[in-house]
Amino acid sequence: MKQGARSSATTGTPRTPHVQEAAAAVPEPRVPSQGTPPAARGEHTHSETPIPGPRPVVQRASVRGQILDALRTALVTGELAPGAVYSAPALGDRFGVSATPVREAMQQLALEGAVEVVPNRGFRVVERGARDLAELAEVRALIEVPVMLRLAHAVPAERWAEMRPLAEATVRAAATGCRATYAESDRTFHRAVLSLAGNAQLVRIADDLHRRAQWPLTGPARTPGRGHADLLADASEHTALLDALIARDLEVVRALVDEHFAGAH
């Protein structure tokens, strides 16, 4: 009997009581209470007291958004020249930030078609000609004109009257002569009109096309006076359109809408 016991010990075969004791020694996994995030892998919280108050906004995302807005403005004004290549570090120095948020913002602009990635160099601003602008205007007209004509039949005059401050804001923005200021005001007006259709996807797609149509063309730049006049003419069509919509003059509405998209820029 003793020999058998020694043989069992030397073979390393565990006895049932030992297995039960080992299982009992293993603690059950702790499930975090609802609302308390689990600790990150490799970190020990040591039962730290949760920090009260709202969760702070991640600053890097805020910086990236600000840089994206600044780059979009630079695109509209032509400060970022079509065909030119810009590196994230150089733009970061220009804006006083690291290259990371600039690179993330430029990658978003690449998705929007404003720039293209140049390996080991940076990002090239896309060059566009008159044909590109005409194609964008045609696509915008195919989407927006039928919607605006449908809204002209369905939306009451008082709702159109509520849009007048936005239309007048485009006129004031055009008077400044700043294409970036006018571009934002112009898109705000169009978004407000299209939102009356109750289709968020329509508004998003139309706004993206509108933004693309506002990028400058390649070739000789327009003279400041000519550009200023173009902005004022475009803005005046907004107020004229509202007047026709309030009066429910559908023939004038169609003519103004067609004219507006024929000269869209």
Side-chain angles (χ1 to χ4, degrees), residues 1-263:
M1 293 294 293
K2 292 182 180 180
Q3 184 178 359
R6 285 197 300 269
S7 175
S8 176
T10 56
T11 58
T13 302
R15 292 179 296 176
T16 302
H18 288 180
V19 174
Q20 293 175 345
E21 291 171 4
V26 177
E28 296 182 358
R30 297 178 59 188
V31 180
S33 60
Q34 186 175 4
T36 303
R41 180 175 297 179
E43 296 182 1
H44 301 280
T45 60
H46 300 293
S47 301
E48 295 175 8
T49 303
I51 300 174
R55 182 174 299 178
V57 177
V58 178
Q59 185 64 24
R60 194 181 78 173
S62 175
V63 171
R64 180 181 62 181
Q66 294 176 40
I67 296 300
L68 181 59
D69 289 341
L71 290 173
R72 282 173 171 164
T73 297
L75 282 169
V76 173
T77 60
E79 191 176 353
L80 293 182
V85 177
Y86 300 91
S87 70
L91 289 172
D93 290 340
R94 179 176 179 177
F95 292 114
V97 298
S98 69
T100 299
V102 175
R103 188 174 292 110
E104 292 173 347
M106 290 296 266
Q107 288 170 347
Q108 174 61 36
L109 291 176
L111 293 175
E112 296 176 4
V115 301
E116 55 189 10
V117 178
V118 181
N120 302 320
R121 292 186 61 192
F123 302 85
R124 177 185 289 113
V125 179
V126 173
E127 298 180 83
R128 302 184 316 135
R131 180 181 177 86
D132 298 303
L133 187 62
E135 290 177 351
L136 281 169
E138 181 180 6
V139 175
R140 287 186 62 204
L142 289 172
I143 294 175
E144 295 192 45
V145 170
V147 174
M148 296 184 74
L149 293 177
R150 175 165 57 87
L151 292 175
H153 288 84
V155 177
E158 55 268 23
R159 291 296 303 277
W160 293 120
E162 294 172 0
M163 298 284 178
R164 189 171 295 280
L166 294 178
E168 293 174 347
T170 67
V171 176
R172 292 193 298 271
T176 67
C178 176
R179 299 192 72 86
T181 301
Y182 179 72
E184 184 61 35
S185 180
D186 185 26
R187 290 203 321 276
T188 299
F189 174 78
H190 279 262
R191 283 197 303 267
V193 171
L194 292 177
S195 67
L196 296 176
N199 188 327
Q201 296 300 319
L202 166 71
V203 175
R204 181 182 60 81
I205 293 172
D207 189 59
D208 179 65
L209 291 170
H210 196 168
R211 187 191 302 278
R212 292 169 184 249
Q214 292 172 332
W215 300 332
L217 301 177
T218 55
R222 299 178 180 179
T223 60
R226 178 77 175 274
H228 193 185
D230 288 342
L231 299 185
L232 288 171
D234 193 71
S236 67
E237 292 174 358
H238 294 155
T239 55
L241 176 61
L242 278 185
D243 290 339
L245 288 167
I246 293 172
R248 304 193 72 81
D249 191 336
L250 301 183
E251 291 185 6
V252 174
V253 168
R254 176 179 288 277
L256 286 171
V257 168
D258 290 340
E259 180 182 354
H260 191 65
F261 283 99

